[in-house]
Amino acid sequence: MPTIRLENVSKHYGPTKAADRLSLEIMDGEYLCILGPTGAGKTTLLRILSGLTLPDSGKVFFDGADRTRAEPEERGASMLSQTYSLFPALTVSENILFGPAIRGMGEKDKDDTLNSMLDLVRLTERSDAYPKELSGGMMQRTALARALASGCDTLLLDEPLRALDARLRISLRYEIRDLAKSLGLTTIHVTHDQDEALVMADRIAIIRHGTILQVGTPNDVFDHPNSPFVANFVGQCNFFRGKVLSSGSITQVQCADGRSIEAGPSELKAGEEAVVAVKLGNTELTKEAKGYFSGTVERTLFEGKYIHVDVNVKDVGTISAKLPSWRLSKLAIGDQVDVRWNAARANVFPMPEGGLEQELKVE
Amino acid sequence: MTKVNRLAEGRKKTLLDLVSGRRFRTGWKSFIILFFIIFVILPTVWILSYVVTDWSSIQTEVFDKPEIMQVITDAIIASFEIAIIVTVIDIIVGLPMAWIMVRKEFKGKQYLDTLIDMPLAVPTAALGFSCAIFWAVTPDKVNAPDFSLAFITSPFMLIILLHVVFSYPYMVRSLSAILEQIDQTYETAGRTLGASKFTAARTITLPLFRAGLVTGIILCLARSLSETGGTMIALSTMANAGTFETGPTIIGKWKALLSTNPDLAAPLAFVSILLIVISLVLLVVLKLMVMKVRLPAGKVWPKWERTLSRNWVPKLKDGSAIIFLFIFVLIPSFFIFSYVLVSPSAITEWGTFWNALIYSFIIAGIVTAIDIVLGVPMALYIARGHSLKFPQFLDVLVNVPLIVPTAALGYSLGVFWKGVPGIGSLDFVLIIMAHVAFTYPLVVRNVAGAVEEIDPSYEETARTLGAKPLQAFRRVLYPMIKASILAGAIMAFTRSLGETGATLAVVSSANTAPVYIVNLIKADQFYLAAMACIVLIIVSYIFMLALRYVTKRRTD
């Protein structure tokens, strides 16, 4: 299975930069999720990898060999599109055997491939059905089987779960990952759903405006984001602006109204403008102890396992928190609460150029 | 090294590998575009260069000869007057008919649907004779049936009546196609807000019609401006047509005289140029105008319009639409059948007709084959590249031969190839090239339309599954667009089979079936001409049935 490397790849559509000097390495047999908002260049990246789009500049390597201008059919990389693109005139079996037939596989081998694939995706009983007769999940599995049967060693998944209903989407997450892992395929999975990426990926690459912002394990990008955007896109955050008072193993930041708050380690200089990001889930509300801020409960939303609480703090605005549901009975609208967090679990960043609003914009 | 690469390396290069190479594909694409430019577009408008290269002869042969100038202006003005009047009539009577076809449900609707298309099955040469004996006062030698209306004495009127017959289906089809796409909920919303049926239709749905109206108008104008064979026949059948000519008929007439009178070259070029330029200008103006002009949808006359929506008014409107269809379109189309029943049979010999018919078939067959082989790749290029500048430009250019009157196109093409040694003298090749020029857009339009509706991800997925471009087309795209290729092919075939103007304009002595019929009429052999017309109608009708069958399967 190949190691794939993109080097300084650029692709412009008019003024839009779909890929802007983008570099990325995908390990042999790795399951990599590309996570980013709509229009970030996710699909373009996948199309460049598959050979369907030629980059304006930059190179694509498969196992160290320059394959930038290789035809799609020469790359051994199968693409699974959002709509699956099952060929409507062919049955499930014929769809699955599309790749083998093209490559001139013998009848015996074709039969074996078909049977093992049907077995793998549990569609043996629907092998003679046409795509329009299948449910969304079955179409998804047929498309997967077709990609696997083509003899590819790289799987390119373009939002493969988008068109499915919520429950199915969650069960298929594990199924796709297990399948790719057991076959040892190098998989690149594009999604805008952070939960999906966190659950499925070995590593996540966060993309925006055609550049990779951060690559790391799910744990890494969740707990140690390298920018306010990543912090907010992978799990929502509360943001606080201020000036750095001191840094080191704990960074102290002074907000505009004079209150001082704390965040994890940094090497920011004192006096520098900074942003502190605290994940909603790491924000604690308490009535017993003193916190960084105190405010009034403005709204509570019941979300099943969690409750979402908005607290209004004078001069700071709304701070949100996600708390376990059992606390719903102890919090009423109008209650005075203190807001605090474990300093080590808050991240601090230098103030981004162009301001915080610009940085957090998801377009 | 991936598995696939190892696989590929073990094999020898095959033909498939060869044609899948990037270099071959680029070469093939350039060839397709070059073919289109050199064999379709350039010859079509070549005659325009005459203005630059030979202005002096236009000066001496046209402007300095008032009688020639008079003939030309009269013919061109008549052509455009007829085309415009015909189009206006088509809009007025086509709109209610389109409404009936789309919005009404009634028994026998599918029969009405077939009836509307019937005139398309009749080659215009046959239509010309049929209309003339139905409407016009004819000389005794024609032997028109006693029950024909026979009251039209003006050639101008007769040609209008004739052109309405074959342009009417185009208008109804374009309008109903757009009406089908207009969401009826707008109108329903309008009516729940208190508008009467008529007000709602006029102020809400009608303004959404523009696109369909433009298509319909362009098709009707182009068909009327182009038509040669039927017009010639109608004029020679009626009594005292006098010196009445339209643009295309004058081209046909002068082209025949060209060998004895070479001075006619300049006037011929001049007529063709006028027809081409005015049609293209008209097309552009129309496109701009219809998009800019606002229909007066703001004002409402509730009382008035309520009356128009109630009681006998809508019934009268629907009734007249259907009566018009029968009296002005269907009966004139098929009146020719009564002629052969009533007139004494006077068959002399069928041999020449069969030869002409076979000749026409061979030409139509070759033309259709060329259209498919070279038109389908062009359609793919246009449809798959429609976000790029150059394919978009080609997309517009493809329509040009559809707009240019075929007689002018034919003459232009003849002049273009005459200079090329070896081709200029081959009548057969010239006719084929002329027919390719005006049928090629039909195939390209049809196929490009179908491809544009298919998500490119099908072919792309096929490519990532290991299919070479040709395999992806053959196994994935082709099954999905087969029906539209066939539809385009049948349209091209029937158009080629029925064409007179372009044929006469390239080779005045051509022996295709429609030309043969025109010549029979000119030689007063009416009975044989009528029989030949009927054979042509039957043949075309069979093809039209095939077309319906094919396109119906596509929509299923």
Side-chain angles (χ1 to χ4, degrees):
Chain A
M1 309 297 138
T3 300
I4 302 169
R5 190 152 49 87
L6 292 157
E7 235 178 60
N8 281 324
V9 169
S10 292
K11 179 76 193 175
H12 295 200
Y13 293 104
T16 321
K17 291 174 183 170
D20 188 14
R21 298 177 57 74
L22 184 152
S23 295
L24 180 65
E25 186 162 11
I26 303 125
M27 309 301 173
D28 172 11
E30 182 178 30
Y31 199 111
L32 182 95
C33 278
I34 312 266
L35 177 66
T38 319
K42 302 187 298 275
T43 302
T44 303
L45 177 55
L46 216 54
R47 290 179 65 88
I48 289 174
L49 283 170
S50 68
L52 292 168
T53 298
L54 287 181
D56 295 339
S57 63
K59 287 198 158 72
V60 182
F61 296 92
F62 278 67
D63 277 337
D66 183 355
R67 308 289 285 159
T68 315
R69 295 183 62 82
E71 298 283 348
E73 66 269 20
E74 293 166 349
R75 300 189 181 209
S78 277
M79 173 113 117
L80 209 73
S81 72
Q82 288 179 23
T83 50
Y84 319 133
S85 303
L86 291 176
F87 307 137
L90 307 182
T91 62
V92 168
S93 309
E94 289 164 341
N95 262 291
I96 293 176
L97 284 178
F98 182 84
I102 287 283
R103 297 210 160 110
M105 194 188 264
E107 286 305 316
K108 174 79 177 56
D109 290 342
K110 274 205 308 208
D111 276 354
D112 292 348
T113 312
L114 178 63
N115 289 333
S116 67
M117 282 302 154
L118 285 172
D119 209 36
L120 195 63
V121 296
R122 307 187 316 278
L123 279 168
T124 312
E125 269 154 39
R126 303 305 310 270
S127 66
D128 289 328
Y130 284 92
K132 63 177 177 205
E133 300 161 7
L134 301 176
S135 69
M138 289 178 188
M139 284 161 90
Q140 223 279 342
R141 298 200 314 255
T142 310
L144 198 60
R146 181 178 64 177
L148 299 175
S150 74
C152 64
D153 38 30
T154 304
L155 209 50
L156 305 172
L157 308 173
D158 188 2
E159 309 236 4
L161 301 171
R162 186 178 206 163
L164 302 173
D165 60 65
R167 190 178 285 264
L168 192 59
R169 192 152 54 204
I170 287 168
S171 72
L172 273 173
R173 280 177 186 169
Y174 306 105
E175 211 171 304
I176 293 179
R177 184 185 150 88
D178 289 349
L179 212 53
K181 277 293 175 189
S182 66
L183 295 169
L185 301 173
T186 304
T187 309
I188 296 117
H189 174 140
V190 151
T191 178
H192 67 277
D193 180 338
Q194 47 130 338
D195 292 333
E196 197 173 297
L198 289 171
V199 170
M200 295 179 78
D202 291 332
R203 285 194 307 155
I204 297 177
I206 287 127
I207 184 173
R208 187 195 197 197
H209 299 320
T211 11
I212 302 287
L213 296 179
Q214 187 175 1
V215 191
T217 61
N219 204 318
D220 227 15
V221 292
F222 192 87
D223 285 339
H224 307 288
N226 66 359
S227 66
F229 178 80
V230 173
N232 197 40
F233 198 73
V234 188
Q236 270 179 295
C237 283
N238 291 306
F239 287 98
F240 306 95
R241 273 166 261 217
K243 274 200 172 68
V244 176
L245 289 174
S246 67
S247 61
S249 58
I250 290 280
T251 309
Q252 286 213 316
V253 173
Q254 187 174 35
C255 293
D257 60 351
R259 278 181 279 212
S260 136
I261 56 177
E262 290 173 326
S266 80
E267 285 160 15
L268 295 170
K269 285 191 214 62
E272 213 178 323
E273 291 279 333
V275 177
V276 172
V278 188
K279 289 251 148 59
L280 260 53
N282 292 334
T283 309
E284 289 167 29
L285 301 180
T286 170
K287 290 183 180 170
E288 285 86 40
K290 194 91 186 102
Y292 298 115
F293 303 99
S294 51
T296 337
V297 174
E298 206 174 41
R299 191 164 70 142
T300 57
L301 293 173
F302 180 70
E303 290 178 351
K305 214 167 170 185
Y306 298 98
I307 49 171
H308 177 112
V309 185
D310 285 342
V311 177
N312 188 14
V313 177
K314 203 160 161 278
D315 299 331
V316 174
T318 303
I319 298 176
S320 306
K322 262 198 198 324
L323 306 172
S325 289
W326 59 264
R327 291 189 55 186
L328 183 62
S329 56
K330 314 231 157 110
L331 282 170
I333 291 172
D335 282 3
Q336 283 291 315
V337 288
D338 267 38
V339 181
R340 62 174 199 179
W341 56 82
N342 178 349
R345 310 209 72 174
N347 301 105
V348 60
F349 309 101
M351 178 62 80
E353 289 171 48
L356 187 61
E357 270 77 34
Q358 189 62 33
E359 165 77 11
L360 296 182
K361 220 192 236 170
V362 177
E363 68 270 71
Chain B
M1 179 102 353
T2 64
K3 266 194 280 187
V4 182
N5 288 332
R6 280 195 298 274
L7 253 168
E9 225 138 273
R11 287 183 305 143
K12 283 217 177 99
K13 280 219 163 195
T14 60
L15 187 66
L16 185 64
D17 291 323
L18 185 75
V19 301
S20 303
R22 231 181 224 132
R23 207 176 279 169
F24 181 87
R25 270 151 53 204
T26 316
W28 170 244
K29 208 188 279 170
S30 326
F31 169 70
I32 291 296
I33 295 167
L34 273 180
F35 169 84
F36 169 67
I37 289 170
I38 296 177
F39 286 82
V40 179
I41 283 295
L42 259 187
T44 300
V45 295
W46 180 250
I47 199 70
L48 299 181
S49 72
Y50 205 90
V51 176
V52 186
T53 57
D54 233 342
W55 182 251
S56 58
S57 60
I58 290 183
Q59 190 79 34
T60 50
E61 295 301 327
V62 181
F63 292 117
D64 295 349
K65 291 189 179 168
E67 71 284 0
I68 294 266
M69 194 60 199
Q70 191 61 42
V71 172
I72 291 177
T73 26
D74 285 353
I76 296 283
I77 289 173
S79 267
F80 281 92
E81 275 177 354
I82 289 172
I84 289 166
I85 294 173
V86 164
T87 307
V88 171
I89 295 178
D90 282 337
I91 296 174
I92 295 170
V93 296
L95 204 52
M97 188 45 95
W99 222 279
I100 294 176
M101 294 313 303
V102 177
R103 293 285 168 85
K104 293 252 159 75
E105 285 306 328
F106 51 91
K107 258 190 193 166
K109 186 173 162 179
Q110 74 268 38
Y111 299 111
L112 190 62
D113 198 50
T114 321
L115 283 179
I116 289 174
D117 283 341
M118 289 286 261
L120 294 180
V122 185
T124 51
L127 273 184
F129 187 65
S130 195
C131 276
I133 56 175
F134 179 67
W135 291 113
V137 176
T138 47
D140 288 341
K141 62 183 181 192
V142 174
N143 249 325
D146 300 333
F147 46 86
S148 67
L149 297 181
F151 69 95
I152 301 283
T153 52
S154 144
F156 188 75
M157 288 286 293
L158 179 63
I159 303 307
I160 288 177
L161 287 168
L162 166 65
H163 287 196
V164 164
V165 174
F166 60 74
S167 57
Y168 176 86
Y170 288 103
M171 182 59 84
V172 175
R173 286 293 166 224
S174 320
L175 292 180
S176 41
I178 220 70
L179 189 57
E180 252 162 38
Q181 285 171 15
I182 296 176
D183 197 339
Q184 214 174 338
T185 52
Y186 295 124
E187 227 175 283
T188 318
R191 295 201 58 203
T192 60
L193 295 170
S196 65
K197 249 188 190 169
F198 182 83
T199 315
R202 181 181 65 83
T203 57
I204 300 167
T205 307
L206 214 52
L208 298 172
F209 249 110
R210 291 176 187 178
L213 212 52
V214 181
T215 322
I217 291 176
I218 290 171
L219 284 173
C220 289
L221 280 179
R223 281 296 276 154
S224 170
L225 284 175
S226 277
E227 213 292 313
T228 320
T231 313
M232 277 180 153
I233 288 177
L235 291 177
S236 1
T237 309
M238 79 183 300
N240 52 46
T243 56
F244 183 83
E245 300 281 357
T246 65
T249 63
I250 202 106
I251 291 179
K253 192 172 138 193
W254 283 349
K255 172 74 187 179
L257 297 173
L258 189 61
S259 50
T260 51
N261 182 5
D263 287 349
L264 283 173
L268 259 172
F270 189 65
V271 181
S272 306
I273 292 167
L274 278 183
L275 277 175
I276 292 174
V277 170
I278 301 179
S279 320
L280 291 179
V281 169
L282 209 60
L283 168 76
V284 174
V285 170
L286 251 170
K287 279 227 157 169
L288 295 177
M289 217 173 66
V290 176
M291 290 303 150
K292 289 262 165 68
V293 167
R294 295 176 56 105
L295 292 165
K299 263 199 183 157
V300 172
W301 301 271
K303 235 185 173 174
W304 246 94
E305 300 191 326
R306 193 141 294 150
T307 329
L308 281 179
S309 313
R310 276 192 197 146
N311 309 326
W312 50 272
V313 184
K315 280 198 186 106
L316 180 74
K317 183 196 71 193
D318 292 351
S320 353
I322 291 175
I323 290 171
F324 182 91
L325 171 68
F326 277 92
I327 296 187
F328 287 84
V329 179
L330 292 177
I331 299 178
S333 300
F334 296 98
F335 195 68
I336 195 167
F337 284 91
S338 75
Y339 180 82
V340 289
L341 296 179
V342 173
S343 297
S345 92
I347 290 290
T348 44
E349 56 120 6
W350 275 101
T352 341
F353 174 67
W354 289 123
N355 284 343
L357 194 64
I358 290 167
Y359 190 65
S360 279
F361 261 84
I362 293 173
I363 286 175
I366 296 175
V367 164
T368 311
I370 296 177
D371 285 345
I372 291 177
V373 173
L374 300 172
V376 173
M378 185 69 175
L380 289 178
Y381 179 64
I382 288 177
R384 283 298 178 238
H386 62 150
S387 56
L388 302 170
K389 282 266 152 50
F390 189 59
Q392 267 177 356
F393 173 67
L394 288 178
D395 194 19
V396 176
L397 221 51
V398 159
N399 293 324
V400 170
L402 282 182
I403 311 300
V404 168
T406 50
L409 182 152
Y411 184 66
S412 174
L413 189 124
V415 173
F416 181 81
W417 290 111
K418 207 168 66 186
V420 183
I423 294 181
S425 55
L426 294 173
D427 291 357
F428 184 67
V429 176
L430 278 180
I431 295 175
I432 285 178
M433 289 203 285
H435 285 210
V436 165
F438 67 83
T439 55
Y440 179 87
L442 294 173
V443 173
V444 175
R445 272 273 75 83
N446 256 295
V447 178
V451 175
E452 262 162 33
E453 291 193 356
I454 291 170
D455 190 342
S457 77
Y458 285 114
E459 298 134 83
E460 290 173 354
T461 306
R463 293 292 302 281
T464 69
L465 291 170
K468 296 188 186 303
L470 197 65
Q471 289 172 316
F473 172 75
R474 168 72 193 80
R475 286 170 184 257
V476 178
L477 191 58
Y478 173 71
M480 298 192 224
I481 59 168
K482 204 162 48 181
S484 67
I485 295 179
L486 210 51
I490 295 174
M491 278 184 192
F493 191 90
T494 42
R495 278 285 274 135
S496 167
L497 203 60
E499 177 62 26
T500 321
T503 318
L504 280 178
V506 267
V507 181
S508 59
S509 59
N511 191 27
T512 64
V515 174
Y516 172 73
I517 294 173
V518 173
N519 290 336
L520 280 181
I521 302 240
K522 285 190 172 153
D524 290 347
Q525 298 224 34
F526 297 104
Y527 187 79
L528 185 54
M531 289 304 283
C533 284
I534 289 172
V535 172
L536 212 51
I537 290 176
I538 293 170
V539 170
S540 303
Y541 189 64
I542 292 169
F543 273 96
M544 207 191 75
L545 282 185
L547 180 67
R548 293 196 132 247
Y549 177 70
V550 166
T551 43
K552 190 161 259 155
R553 266 205 322 203
R554 173 172 51 170
T555 49
D556 282 349

